[in-house]
Amino acid sequence: MNFKNLREYLAWLYYQYLLITGIYVLEPWEKSIFNSILFSAIAMVVYTSYVFVPIHVRLALEFFSGIFGGQHSTMKH
Amino acid sequence: MFFFPQNPNVTHNSNLYKRPFVESFEETPLLVAVLTYMGYGILTIFGYLRDFLRHWNIEKCHVARDREQQKDFVPLYQDFENFYTRNLYMRIRDNWNRPVCGVPGAKMDLAERVSYDYNWTFKHTGKVVKDVINMGSYNYLGFAENVGACADAAVDVTKKYGSGVGSTRCEIGNLDIHEELEQLIARFLGVESSMAFGMGFATNSMNIPALTGKGCLILSDELNHASLVLGARLSGSTIRVFKHNNMQSLEKLLRDAIVHGQPRTHRPWKKILIVVEGIYSMEGSIVRLPEVIALKKRYKAYLYLDEAHSIGALGPHGGGVVDYFGLDPNDVDIMMGTFTKSFGAAGGYIGGKKELIDYLRSHSHSALYATSMSPPVAQQIITSMKIIMGEDGSTLGRQQTQLSQNTTYFRKKLWDMGFIIYGNDDSPVVPLMLYMPAKIGAFGREMLKRNIGTVVVGFPATPIIESRARFCVSAAHTREMLDIALEAISEVGDVLQLKYSRRERPLPALGWMSEESLLQD
Ligand SMILES: Cc1ncc(COP(=O)(O)O)c(C=O)c1O
């Protein structure tokens, strides 16, 4: 496929998305329902990961550094 | 002991074949299958949503519903296929039964229509879409014409006999033209005798019950046409289904039938009838006739061969699968076929031994109760059959050569482009796999935009994930038409990402890579 510009390419990508999910055949209001549900789901996933992942990562780091750090110190003795 | 991996595309009894028998059914790529199911899942959810809205009268319901007074009865109109028609088929209905206004030959004219309520109703704009290349009609030999020898002869015959007969064959609907037609068919097929009927579907569904009954066994291919299935069910015989074109499966059923006989009583079956088709119209595969005949002879069963798509279209003399494999027509007990495809007419025939035909003449419902074939139709068949046989003085086998060249060319090109196509290399029916439900609608619409008429098929005519587009190559297509069509197919294939095949093939030209093709590689 050859595209003249990015817009055309994005339009084509959106078309692929319509075809693969099957919402190509739906009526416009159904399409918007599907899109809003999908995008709000994605947005929530992104938001939760933004909020919670750093905390979990920090906790995990502390936990593991506690174990390994602790072992480290016991080995030194 | 070594076990060699079995390749289903390779013939096991290759000594029975005079020429290579190449048939391929490439496996569905896993990712495509998963995405297809996901698509159906999403559409089903929306279907339930719409049904919910219709149920509570939030939305107007356009389809047949149970009456208000009967709403506590067992529902009359509810099943999955109904759900499917209402919620999926209706959304892309504009791809089907589009009115054709003219001869559906190599090119045709379509009536333009629009829908303002998402395909629930259509309005004709009065305009005509001209010169659409027809890749969908079963016009294998190009006899669907309104000019030329066949049409002229049909006009003359209409002037002589009129177009209606108004009685059945066994009363006063037996015209001399019918007898002439039957003798010609018998000669064409190389059998003793034959009989013509006014409708192909009825030929199957009414003659199988005349041949078998209770205590008989019918072994039927799983992909047999609805008319054969209906006939087998009407006959009241036991029906067992073997895997499509799978001789091991057929042989196993035959052996079991002979060893165990009828269930419970264990009496031997009165007779065993194997029912197969010549070319399977959805799969594009050709029956493994030499092997079927060998099995039928070994186990002493009868063979019913439906040549609806293959008669005229296959074989150097247009004699169907028997001619294609170079076999003896007398090895097939019941040769059935239709005139609707290659001959550009209507009706069906049964050919075989004289005793068989005489028996059918007095026992078949479609001989006794159906009005006989219209004379111009009979004449169309006579003239086209004579042209195929070279009896009109023209060169013998011209259409066959053209058709087989077109078939080879068309299949080869599609194959090279990287589409998944099904079927035998020599079959003029070419199914191209689409898989995803939305692509069924998109393919038909995109092709029509490029002025090419195609047939797209989905469930229930195919298994649910194996939606496809089906092209029927015709001798009437010129090389230019095929090239235009192929170019359009390739273009649409790129837009819709249909080039699923993972066979080894030359690298595609560089460009934007779609996410899908990246995932597939
Ligand atoms: C295998 C087979 N048998 C029978 C028929 C029915 O023939 P007709 O359309 O002439 O009624 C068809 C038609 O599509 C067919 O494909």
Side-chain angles (χ1 to χ4, degrees), chain B residues 138 198-204 223-228 276-281 306-309 336-341 345-348 470:
Chain B
Y138 304 132
M199 181 185 175
F201 193 97
T203 311
N204 278 336
L223 295 180
N224 272 346
H225 189 257
S227 55
L228 295 166
V276 290
E277 284 180 34
I279 295 184
Y280 289 84
S281 60
D306 179 342
E307 295 220 67
H309 290 265
M336 181 271 166
T338 65
F339 304 120
T340 27
K341 279 93 188 177
R470 189 190 52 187

PDB file of all heavy atoms in Angstrom, chain B residues 138 198-204 223-228 276-281 306-309 336-341 345-348 470, ligand 1:
ATOM      1  N   TYR B 138     -23.303 -18.409 -12.963  1.00  0.00           N
ATOM      2  CA  TYR B 138     -22.802 -19.745 -13.329  1.00  0.00           C
ATOM      3  C   TYR B 138     -22.813 -19.908 -14.846  1.00  0.00           C
ATOM      4  O   TYR B 138     -23.271 -20.920 -15.365  1.00  0.00           O
ATOM      5  CB  TYR B 138     -23.705 -20.834 -12.763  1.00  0.00           C
ATOM      6  CG  TYR B 138     -23.912 -20.800 -11.289  1.00  0.00           C
ATOM      7  CD1 TYR B 138     -25.197 -20.895 -10.766  1.00  0.00           C
ATOM      8  CD2 TYR B 138     -22.844 -20.755 -10.426  1.00  0.00           C
ATOM      9  CE1 TYR B 138     -25.407 -20.905  -9.412  1.00  0.00           C
ATOM     10  CE2 TYR B 138     -23.066 -20.764  -9.064  1.00  0.00           C
ATOM     11  CZ  TYR B 138     -24.334 -20.839  -8.564  1.00  0.00           C
ATOM     12  OH  TYR B 138     -24.549 -20.870  -7.222  1.00  0.00           O
ATOM     13  N   GLY B 198     -38.207 -29.971 -15.443  1.00  0.00           N
ATOM     14  CA  GLY B 198     -38.299 -28.521 -15.563  1.00  0.00           C
ATOM     15  C   GLY B 198     -37.500 -27.752 -14.540  1.00  0.00           C
ATOM     16  O   GLY B 198     -37.324 -26.550 -14.667  1.00  0.00           O
ATOM     17  N   MET B 199     -36.994 -28.409 -13.512  1.00  0.00           N
ATOM     18  CA  MET B 199     -36.284 -27.683 -12.464  1.00  0.00           C
ATOM     19  C   MET B 199     -35.183 -28.571 -11.904  1.00  0.00           C
ATOM     20  O   MET B 199     -35.412 -29.737 -11.610  1.00  0.00           O
ATOM     21  CB  MET B 199     -37.273 -27.308 -11.367  1.00  0.00           C
ATOM     22  CG  MET B 199     -36.676 -26.528 -10.229  1.00  0.00           C
ATOM     23  SD  MET B 199     -37.929 -26.295  -8.963  1.00  0.00           S
ATOM     24  CE  MET B 199     -36.977 -25.519  -7.699  1.00  0.00           C
ATOM     25  N   GLY B 200     -33.999 -28.005 -11.775  1.00  0.00           N
ATOM     26  CA  GLY B 200     -32.866 -28.783 -11.290  1.00  0.00           C
ATOM     27  C   GLY B 200     -33.018 -29.208  -9.840  1.00  0.00           C
ATOM     28  O   GLY B 200     -32.731 -30.350  -9.481  1.00  0.00           O
ATOM     29  N   PHE B 201     -33.490 -28.288  -9.021  1.00  0.00           N
ATOM     30  CA  PHE B 201     -33.646 -28.589  -7.601  1.00  0.00           C
ATOM     31  C   PHE B 201     -34.622 -29.750  -7.413  1.00  0.00           C
ATOM     32  O   PHE B 201     -34.358 -30.698  -6.670  1.00  0.00           O
ATOM     33  CB  PHE B 201     -34.168 -27.341  -6.890  1.00  0.00           C
ATOM     34  CG  PHE B 201     -34.088 -27.407  -5.398  1.00  0.00           C
ATOM     35  CD1 PHE B 201     -33.029 -26.833  -4.732  1.00  0.00           C
ATOM     36  CD2 PHE B 201     -35.071 -28.051  -4.670  1.00  0.00           C
ATOM     37  CE1 PHE B 201     -32.948 -26.900  -3.352  1.00  0.00           C
ATOM     38  CE2 PHE B 201     -34.991 -28.115  -3.296  1.00  0.00           C
ATOM     39  CZ  PHE B 201     -33.935 -27.543  -2.636  1.00  0.00           C
ATOM     40  N   ALA B 202     -35.728 -29.695  -8.161  1.00  0.00           N
ATOM     41  CA  ALA B 202     -36.736 -30.742  -8.027  1.00  0.00           C
ATOM     42  C   ALA B 202     -36.236 -32.062  -8.598  1.00  0.00           C
ATOM     43  O   ALA B 202     -36.664 -33.130  -8.158  1.00  0.00           O
ATOM     44  CB  ALA B 202     -38.017 -30.314  -8.724  1.00  0.00           C
ATOM     45  N   THR B 203     -35.337 -32.007  -9.562  1.00  0.00           N
ATOM     46  CA  THR B 203     -34.791 -33.247 -10.106  1.00  0.00           C
ATOM     47  C   THR B 203     -34.132 -34.042  -8.989  1.00  0.00           C
ATOM     48  O   THR B 203     -34.332 -35.248  -8.868  1.00  0.00           O
ATOM     49  CB  THR B 203     -33.748 -32.917 -11.193  1.00  0.00           C
ATOM     50  OG1 THR B 203     -34.311 -31.972 -12.082  1.00  0.00           O
ATOM     51  CG2 THR B 203     -33.343 -34.150 -11.946  1.00  0.00           C
ATOM     52  N   ASN B 204     -33.366 -33.359  -8.162  1.00  0.00           N
ATOM     53  CA  ASN B 204     -32.736 -34.048  -7.043  1.00  0.00           C
ATOM     54  C   ASN B 204     -33.729 -34.418  -5.969  1.00  0.00           C
ATOM     55  O   ASN B 204     -33.791 -35.560  -5.525  1.00  0.00           O
ATOM     56  CB  ASN B 204     -31.672 -33.142  -6.404  1.00  0.00           C
ATOM     57  CG  ASN B 204     -30.382 -33.193  -7.160  1.00  0.00           C
ATOM     58  OD1 ASN B 204     -30.119 -34.165  -7.850  1.00  0.00           O
ATOM     59  ND2 ASN B 204     -29.586 -32.164  -7.034  1.00  0.00           N
ATOM     60  N   LEU B 223     -20.845 -31.768   2.161  1.00  0.00           N
ATOM     61  CA  LEU B 223     -21.098 -30.471   1.540  1.00  0.00           C
ATOM     62  C   LEU B 223     -22.076 -30.560   0.376  1.00  0.00           C
ATOM     63  O   LEU B 223     -22.115 -29.683  -0.468  1.00  0.00           O
ATOM     64  CB  LEU B 223     -19.780 -29.856   1.071  1.00  0.00           C
ATOM     65  CG  LEU B 223     -18.813 -29.516   2.197  1.00  0.00           C
ATOM     66  CD1 LEU B 223     -17.552 -28.913   1.633  1.00  0.00           C
ATOM     67  CD2 LEU B 223     -19.444 -28.553   3.166  1.00  0.00           C
ATOM     68  N   ASN B 224     -22.871 -31.616   0.337  1.00  0.00           N
ATOM     69  CA  ASN B 224     -23.832 -31.735  -0.758  1.00  0.00           C
ATOM     70  C   ASN B 224     -24.841 -30.597  -0.740  1.00  0.00           C
ATOM     71  O   ASN B 224     -25.173 -30.045   0.311  1.00  0.00           O
ATOM     72  CB  ASN B 224     -24.565 -33.064  -0.661  1.00  0.00           C
ATOM     73  CG  ASN B 224     -23.817 -34.168  -1.381  1.00  0.00           C
ATOM     74  OD1 ASN B 224     -22.894 -33.898  -2.155  1.00  0.00           O
ATOM     75  ND2 ASN B 224     -24.199 -35.385  -1.135  1.00  0.00           N
ATOM     76  N   HIS B 225     -25.333 -30.310  -1.931  1.00  0.00           N
ATOM     77  CA  HIS B 225     -26.290 -29.224  -2.125  1.00  0.00           C
ATOM     78  C   HIS B 225     -27.610 -29.507  -1.395  1.00  0.00           C
ATOM     79  O   HIS B 225     -27.989 -30.657  -1.208  1.00  0.00           O
ATOM     80  CB  HIS B 225     -26.544 -29.101  -3.626  1.00  0.00           C
ATOM     81  CG  HIS B 225     -27.335 -27.898  -4.011  1.00  0.00           C
ATOM     82  ND1 HIS B 225     -28.658 -27.962  -4.340  1.00  0.00           N
ATOM     83  CD2 HIS B 225     -26.978 -26.604  -4.103  1.00  0.00           C
ATOM     84  CE1 HIS B 225     -29.082 -26.752  -4.638  1.00  0.00           C
ATOM     85  NE2 HIS B 225     -28.084 -25.905  -4.502  1.00  0.00           N
ATOM     86  N   ALA B 226     -28.290 -28.432  -1.028  1.00  0.00           N
ATOM     87  CA  ALA B 226     -29.542 -28.557  -0.285  1.00  0.00           C
ATOM     88  C   ALA B 226     -30.551 -29.459  -0.986  1.00  0.00           C
ATOM     89  O   ALA B 226     -31.304 -30.179  -0.325  1.00  0.00           O
ATOM     90  CB  ALA B 226     -30.147 -27.171  -0.083  1.00  0.00           C
ATOM     91  N   SER B 227     -30.559 -29.464  -2.321  1.00  0.00           N
ATOM     92  CA  SER B 227     -31.546 -30.282  -3.021  1.00  0.00           C
ATOM     93  C   SER B 227     -31.290 -31.764  -2.786  1.00  0.00           C
ATOM     94  O   SER B 227     -32.224 -32.556  -2.652  1.00  0.00           O
ATOM     95  CB  SER B 227     -31.512 -29.970  -4.510  1.00  0.00           C
ATOM     96  OG  SER B 227     -30.217 -30.134  -5.019  1.00  0.00           O
ATOM     97  N   LEU B 228     -30.011 -32.147  -2.724  1.00  0.00           N
ATOM     98  CA  LEU B 228     -29.671 -33.545  -2.465  1.00  0.00           C
ATOM     99  C   LEU B 228     -30.018 -33.922  -1.039  1.00  0.00           C
ATOM    100  O   LEU B 228     -30.534 -35.001  -0.768  1.00  0.00           O
ATOM    101  CB  LEU B 228     -28.179 -33.776  -2.710  1.00  0.00           C
ATOM    102  CG  LEU B 228     -27.719 -33.604  -4.152  1.00  0.00           C
ATOM    103  CD1 LEU B 228     -26.212 -33.527  -4.212  1.00  0.00           C
ATOM    104  CD2 LEU B 228     -28.217 -34.743  -4.999  1.00  0.00           C
ATOM    105  N   VAL B 276     -22.821 -37.916  -4.521  1.00  0.00           N
ATOM    106  CA  VAL B 276     -21.750 -36.920  -4.593  1.00  0.00           C
ATOM    107  C   VAL B 276     -22.069 -35.904  -5.684  1.00  0.00           C
ATOM    108  O   VAL B 276     -22.938 -36.126  -6.519  1.00  0.00           O
ATOM    109  CB  VAL B 276     -20.369 -37.560  -4.902  1.00  0.00           C
ATOM    110  CG1 VAL B 276     -19.872 -38.368  -3.741  1.00  0.00           C
ATOM    111  CG2 VAL B 276     -20.432 -38.389  -6.159  1.00  0.00           C
ATOM    112  N   GLU B 277     -21.348 -34.791  -5.641  1.00  0.00           N
ATOM    113  CA  GLU B 277     -21.482 -33.776  -6.688  1.00  0.00           C
ATOM    114  C   GLU B 277     -20.226 -33.759  -7.547  1.00  0.00           C
ATOM    115  O   GLU B 277     -19.168 -34.211  -7.103  1.00  0.00           O
ATOM    116  CB  GLU B 277     -21.640 -32.383  -6.063  1.00  0.00           C
ATOM    117  CG  GLU B 277     -22.997 -32.117  -5.491  1.00  0.00           C
ATOM    118  CD  GLU B 277     -23.088 -30.720  -4.895  1.00  0.00           C
ATOM    119  OE1 GLU B 277     -22.450 -29.797  -5.421  1.00  0.00           O
ATOM    120  OE2 GLU B 277     -23.798 -30.563  -3.897  1.00  0.00           O
ATOM    121  N   GLY B 278     -20.319 -33.220  -8.725  1.00  0.00           N
ATOM    122  CA  GLY B 278     -19.165 -33.126  -9.621  1.00  0.00           C
ATOM    123  C   GLY B 278     -18.198 -32.051  -9.152  1.00  0.00           C
ATOM    124  O   GLY B 278     -17.084 -32.315  -8.732  1.00  0.00           O
ATOM    125  N   ILE B 279     -18.649 -30.791  -9.210  1.00  0.00           N
ATOM    126  CA  ILE B 279     -17.885 -29.680  -8.646  1.00  0.00           C
ATOM    127  C   ILE B 279     -18.706 -29.148  -7.489  1.00  0.00           C
ATOM    128  O   ILE B 279     -19.907 -28.930  -7.636  1.00  0.00           O
ATOM    129  CB  ILE B 279     -17.675 -28.547  -9.668  1.00  0.00           C
ATOM    130  CG1 ILE B 279     -16.807 -29.010 -10.818  1.00  0.00           C
ATOM    131  CG2 ILE B 279     -17.042 -27.332  -9.008  1.00  0.00           C
ATOM    132  CD1 ILE B 279     -16.479 -27.911 -11.801  1.00  0.00           C
ATOM    133  N   TYR B 280     -18.060 -28.964  -6.345  1.00  0.00           N
ATOM    134  CA  TYR B 280     -18.780 -28.417  -5.201  1.00  0.00           C
ATOM    135  C   TYR B 280     -18.760 -26.903  -5.317  1.00  0.00           C
ATOM    136  O   TYR B 280     -17.692 -26.288  -5.395  1.00  0.00           O
ATOM    137  CB  TYR B 280     -18.146 -28.900  -3.907  1.00  0.00           C
ATOM    138  CG  TYR B 280     -18.426 -30.363  -3.709  1.00  0.00           C
ATOM    139  CD1 TYR B 280     -17.640 -31.333  -4.301  1.00  0.00           C
ATOM    140  CD2 TYR B 280     -19.530 -30.768  -2.985  1.00  0.00           C
ATOM    141  CE1 TYR B 280     -17.927 -32.670  -4.166  1.00  0.00           C
ATOM    142  CE2 TYR B 280     -19.828 -32.105  -2.842  1.00  0.00           C
ATOM    143  CZ  TYR B 280     -19.022 -33.045  -3.427  1.00  0.00           C
ATOM    144  OH  TYR B 280     -19.321 -34.370  -3.306  1.00  0.00           O
ATOM    145  N   SER B 281     -19.945 -26.316  -5.323  1.00  0.00           N
ATOM    146  CA  SER B 281     -20.043 -24.927  -5.753  1.00  0.00           C
ATOM    147  C   SER B 281     -19.529 -23.941  -4.703  1.00  0.00           C
ATOM    148  O   SER B 281     -19.269 -22.803  -5.017  1.00  0.00           O
ATOM    149  CB  SER B 281     -21.482 -24.596  -6.093  1.00  0.00           C
ATOM    150  OG  SER B 281     -22.291 -24.795  -4.973  1.00  0.00           O
ATOM    151  N   ASP B 306     -24.222 -35.781  -9.051  1.00  0.00           N
ATOM    152  CA  ASP B 306     -24.880 -34.526  -9.419  1.00  0.00           C
ATOM    153  C   ASP B 306     -23.862 -33.638 -10.132  1.00  0.00           C
ATOM    154  O   ASP B 306     -22.926 -33.146  -9.517  1.00  0.00           O
ATOM    155  CB  ASP B 306     -25.409 -33.840  -8.157  1.00  0.00           C
ATOM    156  CG  ASP B 306     -26.096 -32.518  -8.461  1.00  0.00           C
ATOM    157  OD1 ASP B 306     -25.877 -31.978  -9.559  1.00  0.00           O
ATOM    158  OD2 ASP B 306     -26.841 -32.030  -7.602  1.00  0.00           O
ATOM    159  N   GLU B 307     -24.089 -33.460 -11.426  1.00  0.00           N
ATOM    160  CA  GLU B 307     -23.108 -32.706 -12.212  1.00  0.00           C
ATOM    161  C   GLU B 307     -23.573 -31.285 -12.478  1.00  0.00           C
ATOM    162  O   GLU B 307     -23.226 -30.721 -13.516  1.00  0.00           O
ATOM    163  CB  GLU B 307     -22.890 -33.414 -13.545  1.00  0.00           C
ATOM    164  CG  GLU B 307     -22.278 -34.765 -13.385  1.00  0.00           C
ATOM    165  CD  GLU B 307     -21.253 -35.011 -14.462  1.00  0.00           C
ATOM    166  OE1 GLU B 307     -20.223 -34.313 -14.433  1.00  0.00           O
ATOM    167  OE2 GLU B 307     -21.497 -35.859 -15.309  1.00  0.00           O
ATOM    168  N   ALA B 308     -24.344 -30.723 -11.557  1.00  0.00           N
ATOM    169  CA  ALA B 308     -24.910 -29.395 -11.806  1.00  0.00           C
ATOM    170  C   ALA B 308     -23.863 -28.405 -12.303  1.00  0.00           C
ATOM    171  O   ALA B 308     -24.061 -27.726 -13.302  1.00  0.00           O
ATOM    172  CB  ALA B 308     -25.562 -28.876 -10.541  1.00  0.00           C
ATOM    173  N   HIS B 309     -22.726 -28.326 -11.619  1.00  0.00           N
ATOM    174  CA  HIS B 309     -21.731 -27.339 -12.013  1.00  0.00           C
ATOM    175  C   HIS B 309     -20.717 -27.877 -12.999  1.00  0.00           C
ATOM    176  O   HIS B 309     -20.045 -27.121 -13.674  1.00  0.00           O
ATOM    177  CB  HIS B 309     -20.997 -26.805 -10.774  1.00  0.00           C
ATOM    178  CG  HIS B 309     -21.866 -25.948  -9.934  1.00  0.00           C
ATOM    179  ND1 HIS B 309     -21.887 -24.588 -10.044  1.00  0.00           N
ATOM    180  CD2 HIS B 309     -22.786 -26.270  -9.001  1.00  0.00           C
ATOM    181  CE1 HIS B 309     -22.780 -24.106  -9.201  1.00  0.00           C
ATOM    182  NE2 HIS B 309     -23.333 -25.105  -8.556  1.00  0.00           N
ATOM    183  N   MET B 336     -26.893 -37.167 -12.834  1.00  0.00           N
ATOM    184  CA  MET B 336     -27.846 -36.067 -12.755  1.00  0.00           C
ATOM    185  C   MET B 336     -27.113 -34.777 -13.090  1.00  0.00           C
ATOM    186  O   MET B 336     -25.908 -34.668 -12.873  1.00  0.00           O
ATOM    187  CB  MET B 336     -28.430 -36.024 -11.342  1.00  0.00           C
ATOM    188  CG  MET B 336     -29.460 -34.954 -11.112  1.00  0.00           C
ATOM    189  SD  MET B 336     -28.680 -33.446 -10.582  1.00  0.00           S
ATOM    190  CE  MET B 336     -29.989 -32.264 -10.783  1.00  0.00           C
ATOM    191  N   GLY B 337     -27.816 -33.822 -13.627  1.00  0.00           N
ATOM    192  CA  GLY B 337     -27.195 -32.531 -13.894  1.00  0.00           C
ATOM    193  C   GLY B 337     -28.261 -31.487 -14.110  1.00  0.00           C
ATOM    194  O   GLY B 337     -29.449 -31.796 -14.125  1.00  0.00           O
ATOM    195  N   THR B 338     -27.827 -30.257 -14.248  1.00  0.00           N
ATOM    196  CA  THR B 338     -28.809 -29.195 -14.491  1.00  0.00           C
ATOM    197  C   THR B 338     -28.432 -28.425 -15.751  1.00  0.00           C
ATOM    198  O   THR B 338     -27.289 -28.438 -16.184  1.00  0.00           O
ATOM    199  CB  THR B 338     -28.880 -28.195 -13.326  1.00  0.00           C
ATOM    200  OG1 THR B 338     -27.637 -27.522 -13.236  1.00  0.00           O
ATOM    201  CG2 THR B 338     -29.183 -28.862 -12.019  1.00  0.00           C
ATOM    202  N   PHE B 339     -29.414 -27.757 -16.291  1.00  0.00           N
ATOM    203  CA  PHE B 339     -29.191 -26.931 -17.484  1.00  0.00           C
ATOM    204  C   PHE B 339     -29.055 -25.468 -17.110  1.00  0.00           C
ATOM    205  O   PHE B 339     -28.951 -24.613 -17.957  1.00  0.00           O
ATOM    206  CB  PHE B 339     -30.355 -27.092 -18.453  1.00  0.00           C
ATOM    207  CG  PHE B 339     -30.611 -28.504 -18.839  1.00  0.00           C
ATOM    208  CD1 PHE B 339     -31.828 -29.098 -18.586  1.00  0.00           C
ATOM    209  CD2 PHE B 339     -29.623 -29.243 -19.453  1.00  0.00           C
ATOM    210  CE1 PHE B 339     -32.057 -30.402 -18.939  1.00  0.00           C
ATOM    211  CE2 PHE B 339     -29.845 -30.546 -19.811  1.00  0.00           C
ATOM    212  CZ  PHE B 339     -31.066 -31.131 -19.551  1.00  0.00           C
ATOM    213  N   THR B 340     -29.116 -25.191 -15.819  1.00  0.00           N
ATOM    214  CA  THR B 340     -29.122 -23.793 -15.383  1.00  0.00           C
ATOM    215  C   THR B 340     -27.752 -23.146 -15.468  1.00  0.00           C
ATOM    216  O   THR B 340     -27.653 -21.937 -15.440  1.00  0.00           O
ATOM    217  CB  THR B 340     -29.593 -23.708 -13.920  1.00  0.00           C
ATOM    218  OG1 THR B 340     -29.280 -24.926 -13.287  1.00  0.00           O
ATOM    219  CG2 THR B 340     -31.040 -23.442 -13.843  1.00  0.00           C
ATOM    220  N   LYS B 341     -26.705 -23.942 -15.513  1.00  0.00           N
ATOM    221  CA  LYS B 341     -25.380 -23.352 -15.436  1.00  0.00           C
ATOM    222  C   LYS B 341     -24.766 -23.209 -16.823  1.00  0.00           C
ATOM    223  O   LYS B 341     -24.919 -22.184 -17.456  1.00  0.00           O
ATOM    224  CB  LYS B 341     -24.504 -24.187 -14.510  1.00  0.00           C
ATOM    225  CG  LYS B 341     -24.744 -23.873 -13.056  1.00  0.00           C
ATOM    226  CD  LYS B 341     -25.748 -24.759 -12.405  1.00  0.00           C
ATOM    227  CE  LYS B 341     -26.096 -24.280 -11.022  1.00  0.00           C
ATOM    228  NZ  LYS B 341     -27.110 -25.083 -10.402  1.00  0.00           N
ATOM    229  N   ALA B 345     -29.837 -22.194 -19.512  1.00  0.00           N
ATOM    230  CA  ALA B 345     -31.276 -22.443 -19.645  1.00  0.00           C
ATOM    231  C   ALA B 345     -31.861 -22.705 -18.254  1.00  0.00           C
ATOM    232  O   ALA B 345     -31.501 -22.026 -17.307  1.00  0.00           O
ATOM    233  CB  ALA B 345     -31.499 -23.610 -20.586  1.00  0.00           C
ATOM    234  N   ALA B 346     -32.754 -23.689 -18.155  1.00  0.00           N
ATOM    235  CA  ALA B 346     -33.322 -24.036 -16.848  1.00  0.00           C
ATOM    236  C   ALA B 346     -33.680 -25.510 -16.878  1.00  0.00           C
ATOM    237  O   ALA B 346     -33.897 -26.083 -17.951  1.00  0.00           O
ATOM    238  CB  ALA B 346     -34.562 -23.202 -16.567  1.00  0.00           C
ATOM    239  N   GLY B 347     -33.726 -26.116 -15.719  1.00  0.00           N
ATOM    240  CA  GLY B 347     -34.141 -27.514 -15.648  1.00  0.00           C
ATOM    241  C   GLY B 347     -33.013 -28.447 -15.287  1.00  0.00           C
ATOM    242  O   GLY B 347     -31.882 -28.020 -15.050  1.00  0.00           O
ATOM    243  N   GLY B 348     -33.350 -29.735 -15.231  1.00  0.00           N
ATOM    244  CA  GLY B 348     -32.344 -30.735 -14.878  1.00  0.00           C
ATOM    245  C   GLY B 348     -32.587 -32.017 -15.644  1.00  0.00           C
ATOM    246  O   GLY B 348     -33.616 -32.165 -16.317  1.00  0.00           O
ATOM    247  N   ARG B 470     -17.013 -15.651  -4.014  1.00  0.00           N
ATOM    248  CA  ARG B 470     -16.912 -16.739  -4.971  1.00  0.00           C
ATOM    249  C   ARG B 470     -16.988 -16.194  -6.383  1.00  0.00           C
ATOM    250  O   ARG B 470     -17.947 -15.537  -6.749  1.00  0.00           O
ATOM    251  CB  ARG B 470     -18.015 -17.750  -4.746  1.00  0.00           C
ATOM    252  CG  ARG B 470     -17.795 -18.972  -5.580  1.00  0.00           C
ATOM    253  CD  ARG B 470     -18.973 -19.848  -5.556  1.00  0.00           C
ATOM    254  NE  ARG B 470     -20.159 -19.082  -5.911  1.00  0.00           N
ATOM    255  CZ  ARG B 470     -21.366 -19.578  -5.849  1.00  0.00           C
ATOM    256  NH1 ARG B 470     -21.556 -20.781  -5.412  1.00  0.00           N
ATOM    257  NH2 ARG B 470     -22.395 -18.852  -6.210  1.00  0.00           N
TER     258      ARG B 470
HETATM  259  C1  LIG C   1     -25.228 -29.215  -6.966  1.00  0.00           C
HETATM  260  C2  LIG C   1     -26.524 -28.596  -7.341  1.00  0.00           C
HETATM  261  N1  LIG C   1     -27.597 -29.370  -7.577  1.00  0.00           N
HETATM  262  C3  LIG C   1     -28.775 -28.824  -7.928  1.00  0.00           C
HETATM  263  C4  LIG C   1     -28.952 -27.463  -8.053  1.00  0.00           C
HETATM  264  C5  LIG C   1     -30.296 -26.902  -8.362  1.00  0.00           C
HETATM  265  O1  LIG C   1     -30.432 -26.592  -9.682  1.00  0.00           O
HETATM  266  P1  LIG C   1     -31.468 -25.513 -10.225  1.00  0.00           P
HETATM  267  O2  LIG C   1     -30.913 -24.180  -9.874  1.00  0.00           O
HETATM  268  O3  LIG C   1     -31.456 -25.770 -11.688  1.00  0.00           O
HETATM  269  O4  LIG C   1     -32.788 -25.763  -9.611  1.00  0.00           O
HETATM  270  C6  LIG C   1     -27.859 -26.632  -7.831  1.00  0.00           C
HETATM  271  C7  LIG C   1     -28.021 -25.185  -7.980  1.00  0.00           C
HETATM  272  O5  LIG C   1     -27.377 -24.324  -7.522  1.00  0.00           O
HETATM  273  C8  LIG C   1     -26.624 -27.203  -7.464  1.00  0.00           C
HETATM  274  O6  LIG C   1     -25.563 -26.423  -7.202  1.00  0.00           O
END
